[in-house]
Amino acid sequence: MHRSATPENIEKRLVAGLREKGYKLTSQRLEIIGLLARDMTHPGAGDIFRKVRKRVPSISMSTVYYTLDMLKKEGLLRELEFYDQDNRYDVTTADHINLICKKCGKIADFPGELFFSADAVEKRTGFQPVAMRFEYYGYCKDCRRKRAG
């Protein structure tokens, strides 16, 4: 997926992907999908639940987890697992670099190309990559300002 995709295009891709697989598109699932398409901060399940609950008070945490798991299973979403913080969710399924702030936990996508491709890794080493995760850890602009100020 192109990193400059609009929230509308992301939402259409997620909805079409579930519709193609025969899933029901309930109003609660559509709210979760809409939030994921608009919120590029790589939210956690708790964040998604709290934000969607403002619009859909009857939603349950299990509905959020089930919907996230469904999107992940169908390859429409990536789950970023961490040992020291809650798992987060990324609608950018193409290989890319995540920038993770060690202070506030914010995650952003690096808006550039990868330094090497999976094809180059395989050609050079014989190892066939099937997935990758590349991250830089550091401090976002806001946290750097606070530290300097």
Side-chain angles (χ1 to χ4, degrees):
M1 184 176 90
H2 194 269
R3 285 182 230 351
S4 64
T6 66
E8 293 80 19
N9 289 342
I10 295 167
E11 189 168 0
K12 284 178 187 174
R13 178 181 63 83
L14 297 176
V15 167
L18 290 182
R19 194 171 273 143
E20 240 175 56
K21 299 293 184 172
Y23 290 101
K24 289 183 182 177
L25 293 169
T26 65
S27 60
Q28 293 179 341
R29 286 181 184 163
L30 289 171
E31 283 293 332
I32 293 167
I33 288 168
L35 174 79
L36 287 166
R38 291 184 311 276
D39 187 342
M40 299 309 290
T41 65
H42 304 68
D47 297 325
I48 295 166
F49 174 70
R50 282 186 292 282
K51 290 174 182 177
V52 170
R53 193 166 198 189
K54 289 177 184 174
R55 294 177 54 98
V56 184
S58 62
I59 196 163
S60 69
M61 192 69 192
S62 63
T63 298
V64 172
Y65 277 120
Y66 184 78
T67 302
L68 292 170
D69 191 54
M70 179 188 335
L71 290 164
K72 184 176 81 169
K73 181 179 131 203
E74 298 303 338
L76 300 168
L77 178 78
R78 281 188 178 188
E79 182 175 18
L80 305 176
E81 297 179 56
F82 299 96
Y83 65 89
D84 60 347
Q85 63 176 306
D86 291 340
N87 291 357
R88 307 281 282 278
Y89 297 89
D90 189 349
V91 294
T92 304
T93 56
D95 291 339
H96 65 283
I97 299 170
N98 285 313
L99 308 174
I100 303 170
C101 182
K102 292 177 62 139
K103 178 80 172 158
C104 70
K106 187 185 309 179
I107 301 175
D109 292 340
F110 178 72
E113 298 302 315
L114 293 175
F115 306 114
F116 47 85
S117 68
D119 290 340
V121 170
E122 184 174 3
K123 189 179 237 181
R124 195 171 192 177
T125 66
F127 178 84
Q128 183 182 30
V130 294
M132 65 83 63
R133 180 169 160 181
F134 198 76
E135 302 162 343
Y136 280 119
Y137 289 83
Y139 301 96
C140 68
K141 281 188 220 177
D142 294 336
C143 290
R144 288 179 62 207
R145 270 191 224 117
K146 289 175 191 170
R147 287 175 59 165

